[in-house]
Amino acid sequence: MSEPIRRALLSVSDKTGLLEFAGNLVTLGIELISTGGTAKSLKAAGLPVTEVADVTGFPEIMDGRVKTLHPMIHGGLLGVLSDPKHREAMATHQIAPIGLLVVNLYPFEATVARGAGWDDTIENIDVGGPAMIRAAAKNHQDVTVIVDPVDYGAVGEELVSQANRTSLESRRRLAAKAFSRTASYDAAISLWFGNQSGDALGPYFATGGQLLQKLRYGENPHQSAALYAAPGRRFGITAARQVQGKELSYNNINDTDAAIECLAEFDAGSDAACVIVKHANPCGVALGADLRSAYRKALSCDPVSAFGGIIAVNRNLDAATAEEITELFTEVIVAPSADEAALDIVARKKNLRLLLLETGLGAQGGLSVRSVGGGLLVQTRDTATVDHMALKVVTKRAPTEQELNDLRFAFRVAKHVKSNAIVYAKGGTTVGIGAGQMSRVDSARIAAHKNQDISRNAGLAEPSIRGSVVASDAFFPFPDGLLQAAEAGATAVIQPGGSLKDDDVIRAADDAGLAMVFTGFRHFRH
């Protein structure tokens, strides 16, 4: 059994719950040691507290940079009480044990998130805090360490019920959390320095984050899962606020992230946009004069696949659009905002999740990280946009202005479709999407066949794919994929170019009367 806690060191930036917890420690007869602003808060509340400087016999110096880095503090945290030699050393140097450490760190992540300058950010790198946390966590056999105010309640109850002691199980759990916190903190610092130096992919790569949500399960029910927020300013799915509906699942989050990324391609100031995603692939994307028209057009691309999907819009969700969306079974709606009438309409579907993404909708830079066997595969995010590409007309016929607008639209969407990706579009609306096929010609064929079925079911005189344009996320290695698109009714093509068979593909386009442009940029997505 551990010894009862007689001394606690408290040094916190986040003072949530501090005074109540510290008051309970005093009631239990535990001596408080503290530093700087934390000591001032405790004294102002009338709690007895000993300054660290009085323990070390050495004043805080260098604007507080040096205060706890002292043998009188670290000896009290690292001394193994069951080791006679440690006991002897502590007695010789008059070092008293510190049985409880309460530290949360300088707000480095928040400082970066608000866009602070270099000097301010550097000053918010905590040095003494992580050193104490690691010392206490290493010596968890004798020391209880708290890095999060959420743990005050449980530790306080345990101290009361166990005569100022905590269980080894609790200390190990808290130590694991402490090491995770310092690792995440150091990862944030490492990432910031890498970004500042322009070399985020250096010889070592650290990643970490803060738990946002424990999920019911992962991609499948037998898998465990959680959502973490990466360091820095939140954007995308982690910045969204859920206002109603069931808890988000792993697949909801993954699909919603895909919808938000695709939606970020479109400027709300220019057009209303709607993106419908199923299994991380867009199954309908459209622009419109208003949200309802954009939604209707997006839905028309593939109403069957849209069932149980994610619907993301880039303007305030109004009642008329909400009414139509709720007629279809939908997992998640994402919008920057919603009016009261729309909220009331969505509320009729109590399980339907509504996320408001007030900030962080725009396209973001940074890194993309995924796990591979035994490691991490890291790359910069694909921030290339067709608006900044020098489109090169390579066929005898140049695209018309309308074709060019649709080509740009289709290429934006193709960027977010799993490779091999083929996107047919007409009038700012996708009319066929071929995703994830091992053969590009199969993607072109599947998208066309689906459109023919959907057009027939809608009672159209001819398939809506007729007169469309087509985008390919990568080059056509042979003319067959392009010819499949021409056969389906496409009149113009946008693709990166760069194939050894480019000349053959261009010749086939000319023979079919197609206009074709090269972007010089590939948008593989795996």
Side-chain angles (χ1 to χ4, degrees), residues 372-417:
V372 294
L376 299 172
L377 190 60
V378 185
Q379 66 175 344
T380 57
R381 296 171 70 88
D382 183 359
T383 57
T385 61
V386 69
D387 290 336
H388 301 117
M389 298 173 189
L391 303 186
K392 180 182 178 183
V393 178
V394 294
T395 47
K396 295 175 181 177
R397 184 175 78 81
T400 66
E401 184 176 352
Q402 180 59 55
E403 285 175 328
L404 193 56
N405 289 336
D406 280 337
L407 288 169
R408 290 194 177 100
F409 169 81
F411 202 63
R412 284 190 182 94
V413 177
K415 173 181 171 182
H416 299 276
V417 177

Side-chain angles (χ1 to χ4, degrees), residues 140-155:
H140 64 271
Q141 189 75 21
D142 294 308
V143 182
T144 303
V145 56
I146 299 177
V147 296
D148 186 345
V150 76
D151 293 312
Y152 290 166
V155 172

Side-chain angles (χ1 to χ4, degrees), residues 60-371:
E60 292 185 14
I61 60 173
M62 301 176 184
D63 299 318
R65 281 191 171 197
V66 180
K67 48 192 174 186
T68 59
L69 296 169
H70 193 282
M72 297 300 288
I73 300 300
H74 282 267
L77 293 171
L78 284 166
V80 178
L81 302 184
S82 61
D83 187 327
K85 292 183 178 179
H86 283 215
R87 282 283 199 180
E88 181 182 353
M90 294 174 79
T92 299
H93 299 285
Q94 299 181 315
I95 298 173
I98 299 171
L100 173 63
L101 178 73
V102 182
V103 173
N104 53 63
L105 304 173
Y106 293 172
F108 178 84
E109 295 101 329
T111 302
V112 172
R114 64 179 168 81
W118 178 273
D119 291 342
D120 190 9
T121 304
I122 292 295
E123 284 308 309
N124 275 280
I125 297 176
D126 203 329
V127 175
M132 289 192 292
I133 290 171
R134 289 173 59 82
K138 176 177 180 177
N139 197 28
H140 64 271
Q141 189 75 21
D142 294 308
V143 182
T144 303
V145 56
I146 299 177
V147 296
D148 186 345
V150 76
D151 293 312
Y152 290 166
V155 172
E157 290 175 5
E158 202 166 339
L159 291 174
V160 170
S161 66
Q162 298 192 31
N164 285 19
R165 295 178 173 87
T166 59
S167 67
L168 179 59
E169 180 183 4
S170 293
R171 295 195 299 277
R172 284 178 174 171
R173 174 180 59 81
L174 291 167
K177 186 173 185 177
F179 279 121
S180 294
R181 176 64 186 115
T182 57
S184 176
Y185 192 77
D186 284 341
I189 296 169
S190 172
L191 180 63
W192 179 78
F193 266 103
N195 289 335
Q196 295 299 308
S197 68
D199 184 19
L201 303 177
Y204 297 94
F205 180 76
T207 184
Q210 181 178 3
L211 179 68
L212 291 183
Q213 182 183 344
K214 276 274 193 182
L215 304 174
R216 297 192 305 277
Y217 53 81
E219 198 163 8
N220 300 293
H222 61 277
Q223 295 173 269
S224 302
L227 174 65
Y228 293 86
R233 185 175 68 85
R234 290 188 191 175
F235 63 91
I237 184 66
T238 63
R241 178 170 62 91
Q242 184 171 353
V243 297
Q244 80 144 63
K246 292 195 301 184
E247 178 183 298
L248 289 164
S249 70
Y250 179 97
N251 292 324
N252 290 154
I253 292 168
N254 190 53
D255 289 353
T256 301
D257 180 61
I260 291 170
E261 284 204 350
C262 185
L263 190 68
E265 297 287 333
F266 305 103
D267 179 12
S270 299
D271 296 282
C274 177
V275 174
I276 305 176
V277 163
K278 188 73 169 289
H279 294 306
N281 273 305
C283 59
V285 182
L287 306 178
D290 55 63
L291 279 191
R292 183 165 65 170
S293 65
Y295 168 68
R296 286 176 173 176
K297 291 165 69 178
L299 182 62
S300 70
C301 178
D302 191 349
V304 174
S305 296
F307 182 85
I310 312 296
I311 297 175
V313 296
N314 68 345
R315 289 184 180 176
N316 177 69
L317 182 64
D318 58 88
T321 307
E323 194 74 64
E324 294 207 14
I325 290 175
T326 55
E327 291 175 1
L328 178 74
F329 170 61
T330 300
E331 290 278 0
V332 181
I333 301 174
V334 186
S337 58
D339 58 36
E340 287 299 322
L343 291 173
D344 291 341
I345 291 167
V346 176
R348 298 174 197 160
K349 306 283 187 179
K350 65 177 183 178
N351 292 331
L352 174 55
R353 304 156 180 90
L354 175 60
L355 305 183
L356 299 185
L357 187 57
E358 288 124 351
T359 61
L361 179 58
Q364 304 290 334
L367 299 176
S368 169
V369 183
R370 67 167 59 184
S371 62

